[in-house]
Amino acid sequence: MKKLINSPENVVLESITGLGAAFSELIKIHTNPNYITRADAPVENKVALVSGGGSGHEPMHGGFVGRGMLDAACPGAVFTSPTPDQMFEATKAVNGGKGVLHIVKNYTGDVLNFEMAADLARAEGIEVEAVVIDDDVAVKDSLWTAGRRGVGTTVLAEKICGAAAEAGHSLKEVAALCQNVNKNGRSMGMALTSCIVPHAGKPTFDLPEDEMEIGIGIHGEPGRTRTKLKSADEITEVLLQPIVEDLPYKSGDEVLLFVNSMGGTPLLELFVVYGKAHEILTRQGIKVTRSLVGPYITSLEMAGASITLLKLDDEMTKLWDAPVLTPALRWGV
Amino acid sequence: MKKLINSPENVVLESITGLGAAFSELIKIHTNPNYITRADAPVENKVALVSGGGSGHEPMHGGFVGRGMLDAACPGAVFTSPTPDQMFEATKAVNGGKGVLHIVKNYTGDVLNFEMAADLARAEGIEVEAVVIDDDVAVKDSLWTAGRRGVGTTVLAEKICGAAAEAGHSLKEVAALCQNVNKNGRSMGMALTSCIVPHAGKPTFDLPEDEMEIGIGIHGEPGRTRTKLKSADEITEVLLQPIVEDLPYKSGDEVLLFVNSMGGTPLLELFVVYGKAHEILTRQGIKVTRSLVGPYITSLEMAGASITLLKLDDEMTKLWDAPVLTPALRWGV
Amino acid sequence: MSNISSSQIFTWIERYAAQIAEQKDYLTQLDAAIGDGDHGANMHRGLQAILVKKADLQNTDIGALLKGVAMTLISTVGGASGALYGTFFLQASTLAGGKTELSPREFGSLLEKGLAGIVLRGKAAVGDKTMIDALQPGIKAYKDSIESGETMEQALSKAVSAADVGLSSTTPLIARKGRASYLGERSAGHPDPGASSTVLLFRSAAETLC
Amino acid sequence: MSNISSSQIFTWIERYAAQIAEQKDYLTQLDAAIGDGDHGANMHRGLQAILVKKADLQNTDIGALLKGVAMTLISTVGGASGALYGTFFLQASTLAGGKTELSPREFGSLLEKGLAGIVLRGKAAVGDKTMIDALQPGIKAYKDSIESGETMEQALSKAVSAADVGLSSTTPLIARKGRASYLGERSAGHPDPGASSTVLLFRSAAETLC
Ligand SMILES: Nc1ncnc2c1ncn2[C@@H]1O[C@H](COP(=O)(O)OP(=O)(O)O)[C@@H](O)[C@H]1O
Ligand SMILES: Nc1ncnc2c1ncn2[C@@H]1O[C@H](COP(=O)(O)OP(=O)(O)O)[C@@H](O)[C@H]1O
Ligand SMILES: [Mg+2]
Ligand SMILES: [Mg+2]
Ligand SMILES: [Mg+2]
Ligand SMILES: [Mg+2]
């Protein structure tokens, strides 16, 4: 296993320690239980945003803690949802008296552990709302299943809701906005290679040299289908079409186009995908008015990409453009 | 070869087209010959900065074009220096009447092609200065060789000199500053895996599962030595020690610590290295006052990392903090 | 029929920890096929954390012991299994407050209470390809056996068998809950990792509680 | 001894393009060992670009032809070799302005002028493990042969042999110029890719210019 780590047991703690050292002006690392808060937390009279999930998706979520985005992030073990005590402590630490929003990706583990944390926090009199992000069109939605996974839209929701909280919106409003972002966001991803979970020490799945996985999640889990390798243009089509059809996104819509690297795919390639996606959408009359391109919600060193579309309204666009000052997203300030 | 591309021939053009579509407010793509300029180029009465090099190092250099950094970038074929006509056209396009600085990484191809371009530009009456960056301590310096490679310090020089140009410094001043940044910057890199050059279709070198290359450059070239895989802490020591000893950096020095991913190494791991490097320097009394962590000067999908130290003075620190608005670096604006 | 002492309960958990340690890679392998390849590591982390607290957990009543087990699992395992196994022991503990021994029948009620907690949290039913597919038939077999006057040994042996059958029944199923559900039809043909770790829970009980 | 016509010069370049196309992967392999694995692709890109301009380049004097070759290499190859081979042909072209044929001796002067251009740009000398190690002895052998009254065929055949010996001489060397120099002692034991493409330049000349 070729990794720049010391041991699978210590990688998460050592990594967030490094993150904290690099960005000590923006964030503060708390350990035992592990969570990351804004350096200036709690911010009085602001709705606080807490997210979290398994590690291995960096910069999400720790890299999104800071002004205009998250107040706290709770990193679990690699690909394993964090435990309730992490979210409970984080929630208490960032509560500024206006309530706390939990932004939860729809995985059974994340949902259950966040629920338990919210119960604990409410028992201490903290107002907590939770919004579950479930935007992955690769997974067929149904009342009878765990439903869709939460993927790329999470990043956008954290940015947009973080700006709303900064602007003084109430907990109910920020939660409703988060629901609305989730309702208007759709994603799909693919993998060229598997990743290696440090504890496992070998690839989660074997993928022959001429095949790829379509419809993968962000935990190294296999996708919906395995197909022969295709060109970047074809892959972009394969990812984009189910997304566009699902909402559906229509001619005249304004969208944010988010092309994400799963970690191992370099920018050179990512911008080829972005260019093609932009071209396809433009041809369909869908206007790309905002973009995000890069490794933002990753799967360790997995090679592959995901595409997220978010249908924007004026409010969301304004909130997207609002200042943000975090380790991984920085603008306007 | 598992890549999100359509063909090795088209990957660079398609990628910069995507880059241009994603950041049309900041940059403009010119083709035939290929170069990327600030959207508002030429900026009158400002020294213009032009850099360039082989592609495959993204976000460098195209991602660094914009306010407060480069005026133009010239992308060559993957790992192949651009041709003089690219730099010549770019130089003409961004010249705002105050002269143009060429920031050149020390590779024979880059140096020769930039020289030819400068000759052409000077023949048209444009004042051109060139500064060659050669900061790689893995390469023994000597009058009789091609000298050290230009690596991580290039990114820092482009940022700092871009800010100086923005602040109205003259061409002579910006060139002298660039020399000074180069004089105070040192780097060293290592690889866990080889990368695959699209045209070649297979790894540039074979690296057994339990070995790594120390002292690699950014073109998939083998390093100085091949050793058994070590822990992240040990690798950090192996990279940092020759850097610190070379300048040397001394107790009391203020430095910028830049920990760079070669592309395939995810942030989870990179921050482990950053944390260790920060700890080692702090123990030696070297004060890390600024940081940069992430994939900024890469080698396609190569797994590995490099460390760059830059000894800061007050002016450099101020210029580092100055606003920058490019696809890949954005702050203060 | 003799009662179950609190020290036996701890021995049960200790045996479970040993079995998980032994099967860790196998459980992870099962989870890699249809999940995210961490079930073995998750469970192992939690149970090792319990062993560290041995001194505290051994010298207390069954309610406090089970609550300690629950809280440790909840705060160290993470993932779906941490919340669910944690809830199982937490709910079970509520019926054992202050008790230092349990009758076989009481033990059955604890298991049922734990199961109800998992169902409430996870909203899965038999057939969804989860730990429930082993846990529910295992508990039912235990209770039926005790009700019909059989020994603890017989009851736990029947529980193991029923859980095992439940585990096997998950193989052809298409998952409807948990991470495996994202795979849709590709989840069929693999046993459920959580059901597999549940079988070990019964097996370690059979080896320690009679 | 007959003169070299401008159409022969183009045929030379065409043959060179064909040989590069054929040896592309081999050259790249040499460059992967001690450089960055692009020398074959670089040269191939440039020579294919020249072929595209065939119509223009064929109907012109030797000076313009060589200048066209030079400019195309310079603007399509990139890397060290683009600048250096480009400079070679550019400098050579300065001695052939308006000419439609060259005597063998004039041709030798062109080659020498080209070599001087490369040396001026690249500052390498024989022994630095670069194309110079093949180019310089090749040109010297050619000139010596012509001076001593031998035929074009003999002169070019000697040039090929001398260049080949030069190429072989690069194998044990530690590189002092170009990318291979970064490898230090690890560069020893591999032939230089640029010296290898230079041998092909002589070989294609031998096949087309006599
Ligand atoms: N809703 C649910 N109800 C009951 N058990 C579940 C549910 N979701 C998942 N599980 C169980 O959890 C197991 C997976 O646990 P684990 O791999 O540790 O967590 P995660 O899925 O978060 O990675 C599954 O094999 C399944 O038995
Ligand atoms: N300073 C120099 N003088 C002469 N030839 C050189 C010099 N530097 C490099 N070369 C030649 O260039 C060849 C490499 O060309 P190529 O691989 O196309 O360019 P790059 O090194 O930029 O990737 C080397 O094998 C060597 O023969
Ligand atoms: Mg998990
Ligand atoms: Mg090259
Ligand atoms: Mg799992
Ligand atoms: Mg080369």
Side-chain angles (χ1 to χ4, degrees):
Chain A
M1 173 178 50
K2 293 202 146 177
K3 288 187 188 290
L4 284 170
I5 63 173
N6 294 306
S7 74
E9 290 71 35
N10 297 335
V11 62
V12 170
L13 182 58
E14 290 177 358
S15 185
I16 62 174
T17 302
L19 181 74
F23 296 99
S24 56
E25 270 127 75
L26 305 183
I27 60 171
K28 192 164 166 341
I29 308 299
H30 308 254
T31 56
N32 207 356
N34 298 339
Y35 61 98
I36 301 165
T37 61
R38 283 174 61 154
D40 59 352
V43 182
E44 291 303 317
N45 258 311
K46 185 186 85 69
V47 170
L49 267 59
V50 175
S51 192
S55 292
H57 309 303
E58 290 67 27
M60 187 180 81
H61 299 273
F64 299 144
V65 175
R67 187 172 145 200
M69 214 159 164
L70 296 180
D71 292 82
C74 303
V78 172
F79 291 171
T80 300
S81 79
T83 56
D85 49 328
Q86 296 178 261
M87 282 78 90
F88 176 45
E89 292 301 327
T91 299
K92 284 191 292 185
V94 300
N95 175 34
K98 238 181 140 173
V100 180
L101 178 67
H102 287 181
I103 300 182
V104 186
K105 300 192 296 303
N106 189 32
Y107 301 95
T108 305
D110 293 63
V111 170
L112 298 184
N113 285 289
F114 265 99
E115 270 176 11
M116 293 168 86
D119 288 350
L120 293 170
R122 288 191 193 109
E124 298 221 348
I126 301 174
E127 211 188 340
V128 176
E129 293 274 342
V131 174
V132 175
I133 306 290
D134 59 345
D135 61 320
D136 187 347
V137 302
V139 177
K140 294 225 166 56
D141 205 1
S142 145
L143 271 181
W144 308 104
T145 67
R148 289 177 160 173
R149 292 177 289 224
V151 285
T153 299
T154 314
V155 178
L156 312 182
E158 291 176 0
K159 166 67 188 86
I160 289 170
C161 297
E166 213 72 53
H169 295 211
S170 72
L171 178 58
K172 290 270 168 297
E173 288 166 341
V174 179
L177 174 67
C178 196
Q179 298 281 14
N180 195 31
V181 171
N182 184 46
K183 235 186 276 165
N184 286 286
R186 293 292 187 277
S187 301
M188 184 142 155
M190 57 78 58
L192 291 170
T193 62
S194 171
C195 55
I196 298 179
V197 178
H199 260 104
K202 53 177 202 222
T204 307
F205 53 84
D206 286 316
L207 206 47
E209 189 47 37
D210 62 339
E211 291 184 8
M212 61 181 173
E213 286 275 344
I214 299 286
I216 46 118
I218 54 172
H219 298 88
E221 64 267 51
R224 294 284 297 199
T225 47
R226 184 171 284 200
T227 69
K228 288 283 162 205
L229 214 54
K230 295 195 167 85
S231 72
D233 283 357
E234 289 168 305
I235 291 170
T236 306
E237 290 260 13
V238 164
L239 295 183
L240 198 52
Q241 192 177 322
I243 292 173
V244 170
E245 286 173 1
D246 192 272
L247 194 66
Y249 298 84
K250 295 191 297 281
S251 179
D253 283 354
E254 301 198 336
V255 299
L256 187 159
L257 170 56
F258 170 25
V259 176
N260 175 62
S261 163
M262 300 311 296
T265 285
L267 288 180
L268 181 75
E269 299 173 30
L270 208 58
F271 277 107
V272 172
V273 174
Y274 177 88
K276 184 66 187 179
H278 189 279
E279 182 199 312
I280 294 173
L281 293 171
T282 306
R283 206 190 314 126
Q284 300 186 10
I286 298 168
K287 281 182 275 190
V288 178
T289 56
R290 293 294 180 278
S291 295
L292 185 68
V293 193
Y296 290 106
I297 166 170
T298 61
S299 239
L300 296 170
E301 75 282 14
M302 178 184 272
S306 66
I307 298 181
T308 298
L309 278 193
L310 173 64
K311 185 173 158 188
L312 293 168
D313 56 27
D314 288 350
E315 189 200 9
M316 278 192 230
T317 304
K318 218 185 73 203
L319 293 168
W320 177 258
D321 290 343
V324 61
L325 182 59
T326 71
L329 281 189
R330 261 175 103 154
W331 59 71
V333 57
Chain B
M1 173 180 50
K2 293 203 144 176
K3 288 187 187 292
L4 284 170
I5 63 172
N6 293 305
S7 74
E9 290 71 33
N10 297 334
V11 62
V12 171
L13 182 59
E14 289 177 358
S15 185
I16 62 173
T17 303
L19 182 74
F23 295 99
S24 56
E25 271 127 75
L26 305 184
I27 59 171
K28 194 164 169 333
I29 308 300
H30 307 254
T31 56
N32 207 354
N34 297 339
Y35 60 97
I36 301 165
T37 61
R38 282 174 62 153
D40 59 352
V43 182
E44 291 304 317
N45 258 310
K46 185 187 84 69
V47 170
L49 268 59
V50 175
S51 191
S55 291
H57 309 302
E58 291 66 27
M60 187 180 81
H61 298 274
F64 299 143
V65 175
R67 187 170 145 203
M69 214 161 164
L70 296 179
D71 292 81
C74 303
V78 172
F79 291 169
T80 301
S81 79
T83 56
D85 49 328
Q86 295 177 258
M87 281 78 90
F88 177 44
E89 292 300 329
T91 299
K92 285 191 291 184
V94 300
N95 175 33
K98 240 181 139 173
V100 181
L101 177 68
H102 287 181
I103 300 182
V104 186
K105 298 191 299 303
N106 189 32
Y107 301 96
T108 306
D110 292 64
V111 170
L112 298 183
N113 285 288
F114 264 99
E115 269 176 12
M116 293 169 86
D119 288 350
L120 293 169
R122 289 193 192 105
E124 299 221 349
I126 301 176
E127 211 189 338
V128 176
E129 293 275 343
V131 174
V132 175
I133 306 291
D134 58 348
D135 61 321
D136 188 346
V137 302
V139 177
K140 294 227 166 55
D141 205 1
S142 145
L143 271 181
W144 307 103
T145 67
R148 288 177 160 173
R149 294 176 288 224
V151 285
T153 300
T154 315
V155 177
L156 312 181
E158 292 177 359
K159 165 67 187 85
I160 289 169
C161 297
E166 212 72 52
H169 295 210
S170 72
L171 178 58
K172 289 271 169 295
E173 288 166 340
V174 180
L177 175 67
C178 196
Q179 299 280 17
N180 195 31
V181 171
N182 184 47
K183 234 184 279 163
N184 286 285
R186 293 293 186 277
S187 301
M188 183 143 159
M190 56 78 57
L192 291 170
T193 63
S194 171
C195 56
I196 298 179
V197 178
H199 260 106
K202 53 177 201 224
T204 307
F205 52 85
D206 286 316
L207 205 46
E209 189 47 36
D210 62 339
E211 290 184 9
M212 60 181 174
E213 286 274 345
I214 300 286
I216 48 120
I218 55 171
H219 298 88
E221 63 268 51
R224 294 284 295 200
T225 46
R226 183 171 286 201
T227 69
K228 288 285 163 201
L229 212 54
K230 295 195 168 85
S231 72
D233 283 356
E234 289 168 307
I235 290 169
T236 306
E237 290 259 13
V238 165
L239 296 183
L240 198 51
Q241 191 176 324
I243 292 173
V244 170
E245 286 170 3
D246 192 273
L247 193 63
Y249 298 85
K250 295 191 296 282
S251 180
D253 282 355
E254 301 200 335
V255 298
L256 189 159
L257 169 57
F258 170 25
V259 176
N260 175 62
S261 164
M262 301 310 296
T265 285
L267 288 181
L268 180 75
E269 298 172 31
L270 207 59
F271 277 106
V272 173
V273 174
Y274 177 88
K276 185 66 188 179
H278 189 280
E279 182 199 312
I280 295 172
L281 292 170
T282 305
R283 206 189 316 125
Q284 300 186 7
I286 299 168
K287 280 182 276 187
V288 178
T289 56
R290 294 293 183 276
S291 296
L292 185 67
V293 193
Y296 289 106
I297 166 170
T298 61
S299 235
L300 295 170
E301 75 282 13
M302 179 184 273
S306 66
I307 297 180
T308 298
L309 279 193
L310 173 64
K311 185 174 158 185
L312 293 168
D313 57 25
D314 288 351
E315 188 199 8
M316 278 193 227
T317 304
K318 217 185 73 203
L319 292 168
W320 176 258
D321 290 343
V324 60
L325 183 59
T326 70
L329 280 190
R330 262 175 102 155
W331 59 71
V333 56
Chain C
M1 209 160 21
S2 68
N3 280 350
I4 304 163
S5 69
S6 64
S7 82
Q8 265 181 303
I9 295 278
F10 190 80
T11 309
W12 169 37
I13 301 299
E14 252 182 339
R15 181 67 54 90
Y16 188 45
Q19 294 194 354
I20 288 286
E22 199 177 292
Q23 301 291 315
K24 176 166 64 92
D25 294 343
Y26 174 66
L27 292 172
T28 287
Q29 209 176 302
L30 294 184
D31 196 33
I34 57 170
D36 58 351
D38 61 359
H39 187 56
N42 288 349
M43 296 297 292
H44 184 61
R45 185 169 55 244
L47 284 151
Q48 293 302 309
I50 291 170
L51 296 187
V52 169
K53 299 185 183 162
K54 181 169 178 169
D56 291 345
L57 294 176
Q58 263 183 327
N59 296 309
T60 182
D61 64 86
I62 297 176
L65 194 170
L66 291 177
K67 192 171 177 201
V69 168
M71 295 315 291
T72 309
L73 291 180
I74 288 171
S75 68
T76 58
V77 176
S81 53
L84 293 171
Y85 277 115
T87 297
F88 177 82
F89 285 107
L90 193 61
Q91 288 302 315
S93 80
T94 62
L95 297 186
K99 297 203 172 158
T100 54
E101 47 175 60
L102 298 169
S103 72
R105 185 164 293 187
E106 282 173 319
F107 184 66
S109 305
L110 255 69
L111 297 181
E112 273 203 314
K113 179 87 187 185
L115 170 62
I118 293 190
V119 171
L120 200 69
R121 273 256 165 252
K123 316 229 161 30
V126 166
D128 285 351
K129 195 174 182 124
T130 70
M131 54 176 72
I132 304 282
D133 289 346
L135 196 55
Q136 205 201 51
I139 293 174
K140 185 169 184 320
Y142 173 86
K143 286 205 57 168
D144 289 351
S145 171
I146 295 290
E147 296 297 328
S148 65
E150 293 182 336
T151 65
M152 196 63 188
E153 195 165 349
Q154 287 171 316
L156 284 170
S157 146
K158 287 193 172 166
V160 171
S161 303
D164 236 340
V165 171
L167 165 60
S168 303
S169 78
T170 64
T171 302
L173 293 176
I174 295 177
R176 280 194 297 250
K177 292 287 173 190
R179 239 171 244 290
S181 69
Y182 307 138
L183 282 180
E185 299 183 353
R186 280 177 92 182
S187 66
H190 304 271
D192 177 63
S196 192
S197 58
T198 292
V199 168
L200 298 181
L201 189 64
F202 285 111
R203 189 162 291 152
S204 46
E207 290 171 14
T208 52
L209 301 183
C210 45
Chain D
M1 209 161 18
S2 69
N3 280 350
I4 303 163
S5 71
S6 65
S7 84
Q8 264 181 305
I9 295 277
F10 190 80
T11 310
W12 170 35
I13 302 299
E14 252 182 339
R15 181 66 56 90
Y16 188 45
Q19 293 193 355
I20 289 286
E22 201 179 290
Q23 301 292 315
K24 174 164 67 88
D25 293 343
Y26 174 66
L27 292 171
T28 287
Q29 210 176 300
L30 293 183
D31 196 32
I34 57 169
D36 58 350
D38 61 359
H39 187 57
N42 289 348
M43 297 298 291
H44 183 61
R45 184 170 55 244
L47 284 151
Q48 292 303 308
I50 292 170
L51 296 187
V52 169
K53 299 184 185 163
K54 180 169 180 168
D56 290 347
L57 295 175
Q58 263 182 327
N59 296 310
T60 183
D61 65 84
I62 296 175
L65 194 170
L66 291 177
K67 189 170 179 200
V69 168
M71 295 315 290
T72 308
L73 291 180
I74 288 171
S75 67
T76 59
V77 175
S81 54
L84 294 171
Y85 277 114
T87 298
F88 177 82
F89 285 106
L90 194 61
Q91 289 302 315
S93 79
T94 61
L95 298 187
K99 300 205 171 156
T100 53
E101 46 176 60
L102 299 169
S103 73
R105 186 165 293 192
E106 284 174 318
F107 183 67
S109 304
L110 254 68
L111 296 181
E112 273 204 315
K113 179 89 186 179
L115 171 62
I118 292 189
V119 171
L120 200 70
R121 274 251 165 255
K123 317 228 162 28
V126 166
D128 285 350
K129 196 175 183 123
T130 70
M131 53 175 73
I132 305 282
D133 289 345
L135 196 55
Q136 205 201 52
I139 293 173
K140 183 168 186 322
Y142 173 85
K143 286 204 56 168
D144 288 353
S145 171
I146 295 290
E147 296 299 327
S148 65
E150 295 183 335
T151 65
M152 193 65 185
E153 195 164 347
Q154 287 170 314
L156 283 170
S157 144
K158 287 192 171 166
V160 171
S161 303
D164 236 340
V165 170
L167 164 61
S168 304
S169 77
T170 64
T171 302
L173 293 176
I174 295 176
R176 278 193 299 250
K177 293 285 173 192
R179 237 173 245 291
S181 68
Y182 307 138
L183 282 180
E185 300 186 349
R186 279 178 92 181
S187 67
H190 303 270
D192 177 62
S196 191
S197 59
T198 293
V199 168
L200 298 181
L201 189 64
F202 285 111
R203 191 162 289 153
S204 46
E207 289 170 15
T208 52
L209 300 185
C210 47

